[in-house]
Amino acid sequence: MHPSCALIVWLAAVLALPAFGYIGSLALAAVLLLASGGLLRPWWSMVRRVRWLLLTLWLILAYNVPGEAFADLPWAPTYEGIAAASLHALRLIVMLGCLAWLFHRLGRDGLVSALWGLLHPCRALGLDTERLVVRLSLVLDNLQTEREKGAWRRMLGAATLPAEGPASLHLALPRWAMRDSLLAGLVAAGLLAVLCA
């Protein structure tokens, strides 16, 4: 699969996910797990990183959706709130799975190449896509670099930041094949069907 096609598939899955209920979200999660082996560990790592966000989102939705109180307790969230909060938390977990699939499938260099390939036609409109791709590459490099505790304080206190990162960026982009066009067309038609339903 062409890296840009993988990025299109990821984008379509993320855009379609809010329209899915429990069954659709779980089916997408099953497809992700079956499509690529070794995805569970990075997916679980992402879920662990956002566990407090998930809990906060769940509590806010559970307590702010009107309805009948759980077990008629005055301090408890509503049944409707629990259902809405659980569905949104599941969607967020599946969205993290889609992101883990994209990183697992492409890696850092593949993701940068995919974005460059997808944005390349925008150069005809006068957009500076190379600058965007280079900046994304630097951000991804920075995210992968392990920093010592409290390093952000030194970065904020410094008058100028040290120039880090590679001096040049080399992209390897395979040729777009007919199967990539078919898959992109199928994904676009599926997304349109989900959003229009």
Side-chain angles (χ1 to χ4, degrees):
M1 181 187 306
H2 193 277
S4 295
C5 187
L7 192 58
I8 290 170
V9 169
W10 172 80
L11 187 60
V14 167
L15 290 175
L17 193 56
F20 291 165
Y22 284 107
I23 294 173
S25 299
L26 291 173
L28 181 57
V31 166
L32 287 171
L33 288 173
L34 292 175
S36 52
L39 183 66
L40 195 56
R41 179 169 284 156
W43 188 355
W44 178 247
S45 174
M46 286 184 170
V47 171
R48 279 192 64 238
R49 287 185 201 168
V50 300
R51 63 187 180 273
W52 294 112
L53 175 66
L54 278 170
L55 178 63
T56 305
L57 172 77
W58 192 91
L59 288 172
I60 289 171
L61 286 173
Y63 277 97
N64 284 315
V65 174
E68 182 183 343
F70 179 75
D72 286 329
L73 298 170
W75 53 266
T78 63
Y79 285 108
E80 293 82 1
I82 291 171
S86 300
L87 180 58
H88 282 290
L90 176 64
R91 286 177 182 156
L92 184 57
I93 290 170
V94 174
M95 194 175 295
L96 290 171
C98 292
L99 190 60
W101 172 82
L102 186 68
F103 284 143
H104 182 73
R105 173 107 182 138
L106 299 180
R108 176 210 161 271
D109 293 337
L111 185 59
V112 172
S113 297
L115 188 62
W116 187 85
L118 204 60
L119 293 177
H120 191 68
C122 296
R123 292 179 64 197
L125 302 173
L127 297 174
D128 190 6
T129 57
E130 285 91 2
R131 186 177 299 235
L132 174 67
V133 170
V134 168
R135 286 185 180 182
L136 174 69
S137 172
L138 292 173
V139 166
L140 291 174
D141 278 343
N142 195 19
L143 287 175
Q144 291 177 348
T145 304
E146 199 65 37
R147 306 255 184 225
E148 66 270 6
K149 199 168 190 167
W152 62 273
R153 288 189 183 103
R154 281 195 307 279
M155 288 171 57
L156 289 177
T160 58
L161 293 176
E164 295 178 13
S168 61
L169 179 65
H170 300 284
L171 299 177
L173 202 60
R175 292 183 61 89
W176 184 271
M178 179 59 81
R179 68 174 182 269
D180 296 316
S181 298
L182 291 174
L183 183 59
L186 221 102
V187 164
L191 176 63
L192 195 61
V194 165
L195 295 180
C196 291

